[in-house]
């Protein structure tokens, strides 16, 4: 069994096609969905763990690419630079795993590295550029 965490970006041309359904049906792959933001006739984004037999996994990724889905493997590590973070909370709105969250009652923005899937969604939205990627990522 092979498993990887992936970020899938769907263009508006393919966003309404049953691509994930075919991944399961035609390639015998299983997935664990962490985040899905799909709107008809707009771009979509899915963060998920995909797993299956290595041969099926490779065939499934080939199918995704040929279908026009942009696939990014998230094998890196994301950290927060505590010196840069000023606790604005913007990142908590995009974090699919809850690794970045607000703790009550003091409303502190907490980063729990153990829950981070390294999807990198928090990196571009952070105005302070406090979320940093350790460079061992490879695009598929
Ligand atoms: S968006 Fe950046 S600065 Fe704001 S709380 Fe998150 S990590 Fe800190
Ligand atoms: S990379 Fe950022 S958005 Fe993704 S799970 Fe980790 S903390 Fe959350």
């Amino acid at each position: 069994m092979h498993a990887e965490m992936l970020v899938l970006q769907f263009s508006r041309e393919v966003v309404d096609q049953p691509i994930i359904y075919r991944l399961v049906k035609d390639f015998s792959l299983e997935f664990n969905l962490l985040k899905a933001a799909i709107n008809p006739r707009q771009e979509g984004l899915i963060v998920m763990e995909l797993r299956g037999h290595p041969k099926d996994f490779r065939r499934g990724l080939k199918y995704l690419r040929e279908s026009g889905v942009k696939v990014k493997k998230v094998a890196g590590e994301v950290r927060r630079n505590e010196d840069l973070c000023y606790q604005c909370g913007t990142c908590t709105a995009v974090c699919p795993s809850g690794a970045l969250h607000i703790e009550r009652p003091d409303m502190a923005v907490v980063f729990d590295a153990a829950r981070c899937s390294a999807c990198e969604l928090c990196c571009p939205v952070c105005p302070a550029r406090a979320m940093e990627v350790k460079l061992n990522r490879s695009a598929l």
Side-chain angles (χ1 to χ4, degrees):
M1 185 71 78
H2 181 77
E4 287 181 12
M5 195 70 70
L6 303 174
V7 177
L8 309 182
Q9 288 178 277
F10 297 76
S11 67
R12 66 177 63 187
E13 289 76 23
V14 301
V15 75
D16 56 354
Q17 295 179 21
I19 290 174
I20 301 302
Y21 168 76
R22 285 204 55 198
L23 266 186
V24 174
K25 182 172 180 293
D26 298 351
F27 303 97
S28 304
L29 297 174
E30 301 172 11
F31 67 91
N32 177 29
L33 201 61
L34 286 174
K35 182 186 178 76
I38 305 281
N39 297 305
R41 291 180 291 281
Q42 294 179 26
E43 295 186 348
L45 181 139
I46 287 179
V47 182
M48 67 178 184
E49 183 189 38
L50 189 66
R51 56 184 173 273
H53 187 281
K55 188 175 174 186
D56 294 331
F57 195 93
R58 284 194 298 274
R59 290 174 57 236
L61 289 186
K62 184 168 181 282
Y63 162 70
L64 284 171
R65 288 196 298 269
E66 290 174 353
S67 300
V69 179
K70 191 175 173 188
V71 183
K72 193 165 67 177
K73 185 186 341 185
V74 282
E77 181 186 347
V78 173
R79 302 168 179 164
R80 184 166 73 176
N81 185 327
E82 302 296 343
D83 293 334
L84 294 178
C85 174
Y86 58 87
Q87 298 279 301
C88 71
T90 305
C91 53
T92 62
V94 301
C95 180
S97 69
L100 286 159
H101 60 277
I102 295 175
E103 268 188 6
R104 296 174 189 276
D106 57 358
M107 305 302 282
V109 181
V110 174
F111 174 53
D112 181 354
R115 295 166 66 181
C116 176
S117 64
C119 69
E120 302 178 27
L121 294 178
C122 55
C123 300
V125 304
C126 174
R129 296 290 180 260
M131 301 307 295
E132 300 171 344
V133 182
K134 186 180 172 189
L135 289 177
N136 61 345
R137 187 187 85 178
S138 58
L140 296 178

